[in-house]
């Protein structure tokens, strides 16, 4: 799912990626084979479950299962982006809690540990009942990037795009030394559709940094950026850990008032970089390399 990130992590750690054959049968079934002997090895599987979500999830499950059958001593699933994380509760009758189902599927394959980055909801860690889950945070990379921008801190405001992200925004603001945190309250008409938005706080003449865990279709993000500019913001940029960029997302971002959109490489971004000159990609290589080194 993200061979470039895996290769860079291996280079950082001074090791080589283990060769793995991955093919599909004529009917679409996956065919996986680990080429080297992994008996007694401490194995880290780096596989975000990003689009194509279902295919990448099945790859992850079969990779863990294959390693288990190959007598690996310990298996750690490194999942930089955890797909289905937004379906973490029942919001209406007769719907699944998909994040819990995915956690159970992964756990059933028998890994010893899961490492992920900026879960949409921290409580998802509780869906894994038998194994520990390390939820890492990409805030350090974002803060380092923002520090290099040399924004005047007295007029820099960190914006949470919803009430659920206030803690994240507050953490970034405290570590950056920003003047305040502003929240955008929104009411959804349906998934990826916003009915109404309003700002809680003053952004007049400020540099606004919208901080979120992911950007999907970018409809909410672009609407929030427009609202900030309408309320007097001097500049608006966005920072998010996971850049999914589904459907019209890139076109919306290109046409938006956002000056920059900063995401990490938890999901491959090479094609999106070609289409959007506002896009900045921060690396998770150091964060994940250090985590792997400490766990090994």
């Amino acid at each position: 799912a993200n061979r470039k990130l895996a290769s860079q992590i291996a280079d950082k750690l001074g090791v080589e990626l283990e060769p793995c054959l991955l093919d599909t049968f004529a009917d679409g079934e996956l065919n996986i084979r680990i080429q080297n002997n992994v008996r007694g090895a401490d194995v880290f599987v780096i596989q975000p479950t990003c689009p194509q979500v279902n295919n990448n999830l099945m790859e992850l499950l079969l990779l863990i299962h294959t390693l288990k059958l190959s007598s690996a001593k310990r298996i750690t699933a490194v999942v930089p982006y955890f797909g289905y994380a937004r379906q973490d509760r029942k919001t209406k009758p007769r719907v699944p809690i998909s994040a819990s189902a995915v956690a159970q599927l992964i756990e059933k394959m028998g890994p010893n540990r899961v490492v992920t980055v900026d879960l949409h909801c921290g409580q998802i860690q509780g869906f894994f009942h038998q194994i520990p889950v390390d939820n890492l945070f990409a805030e350090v990379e974002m803060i380092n990037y923002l520090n290099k921008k040399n924004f005047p801190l007295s007029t820099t405001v960190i914006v949470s795009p919803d009430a659920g992200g206030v803690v994240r925004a507050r953490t970034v603001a405290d570590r950056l030394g920003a003047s305040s945190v502003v929240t955008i309250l929104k009411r959804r008409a349906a998934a990826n559709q916003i009915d109404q938005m309003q700002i809680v706080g003053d952004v007049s003449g400020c540099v606004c940094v919208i901080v979120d865990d992911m950007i999907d279709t970018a409809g909410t993000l672009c609407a929030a950026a427009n609202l900030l500019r309408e309320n007097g913001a001097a500049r608006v940029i966005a920072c998010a850990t996971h850049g999914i960029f589904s459907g019209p997302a890139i076109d919306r971002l290109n046409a938006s008032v956002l000056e920059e959109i900063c995401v990490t490489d938890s999901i491959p971004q090479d094609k999106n970089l070609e289409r959007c000159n506002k896009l900045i990609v921060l690396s998770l290589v150091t964060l994940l390399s250090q985590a792997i080194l400490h766990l090994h």
Side-chain angles (χ1 to χ4, degrees), residues 89-247:
R89 62 191 183 280
K90 291 189 67 172
T91 57
K92 58 186 72 172
R94 299 174 299 282
V95 297
I97 305 176
S98 301
S100 176
V102 169
Q104 291 177 54
L105 285 170
I106 294 173
E107 196 169 50
K108 192 66 176 178
M109 291 300 100
N112 299 92
R113 193 180 203 97
V114 171
V115 176
T116 188
V117 181
D118 274 328
L119 284 171
H120 182 67
C121 176
Q123 291 89 326
I124 290 174
Q125 295 171 85
F127 292 158
F128 293 85
H129 301 297
Q130 306 297 328
I131 58 175
V133 178
D134 297 312
N135 183 28
L136 309 180
F137 300 99
E139 294 159 357
V140 174
E141 282 69 21
M142 293 182 187
I143 291 164
N144 289 339
Y145 171 75
L146 292 172
N147 278 327
K148 293 176 183 177
K149 301 296 288 184
N150 291 320
F151 292 136
L153 296 180
S154 60
T155 56
T156 299
V157 172
I158 306 300
V159 181
S160 172
D162 53 47
V166 172
V167 173
R168 181 186 301 108
R170 172 57 65 189
T171 300
V172 172
D174 289 345
R175 298 185 68 171
L176 186 65
S179 61
S180 63
V181 173
V182 167
T183 306
I184 295 179
L185 301 181
K186 60 190 179 185
R187 184 174 66 185
R188 290 190 181 275
N192 294 320
Q193 295 181 22
I194 301 300
D195 181 45
Q196 188 177 23
M197 303 179 75
Q198 64 185 61
I199 296 176
V200 179
D202 182 22
V203 297
S204 180
C206 294
V207 176
C208 292
V209 182
I210 303 174
V211 177
D212 207 354
D213 64 320
M214 66 178 70
I215 303 172
D216 191 357
T217 61
T220 302
L221 176 63
C222 292
N226 288 334
L227 185 62
L228 291 168
R229 285 297 296 270
E230 290 169 4
N231 281 266
R235 302 174 65 182
V236 184
I237 70 171
C239 291
T241 304
H242 310 295
I244 305 170
F245 302 130
S246 305

Side-chain angles (χ1 to χ4, degrees), residues 65-80:
H65 182 61
T66 304
L67 290 166
K68 197 75 175 176
L69 294 176
S70 302
S71 301
K73 181 179 180 181
R74 192 175 69 153
I75 304 166
T76 301
V78 182
V79 189

Side-chain angles (χ1 to χ4, degrees), residues 151 229 234-238 256-261 277-278:
F151 292 136
R229 285 297 296 270
R235 302 174 65 182
V236 184
I237 70 171
S256 71
V257 300
L258 287 160
E259 294 184 14
E260 291 181 355
I261 302 96
N277 57 16
K278 298 180 180 181

Side-chain angles (χ1 to χ4, degrees), residues 15-28:
V15 298
E16 294 184 0
L17 283 180
E18 286 296 317
C20 173
L21 292 178
L22 175 61
D23 200 359
T24 55
F25 292 107
D27 62 354

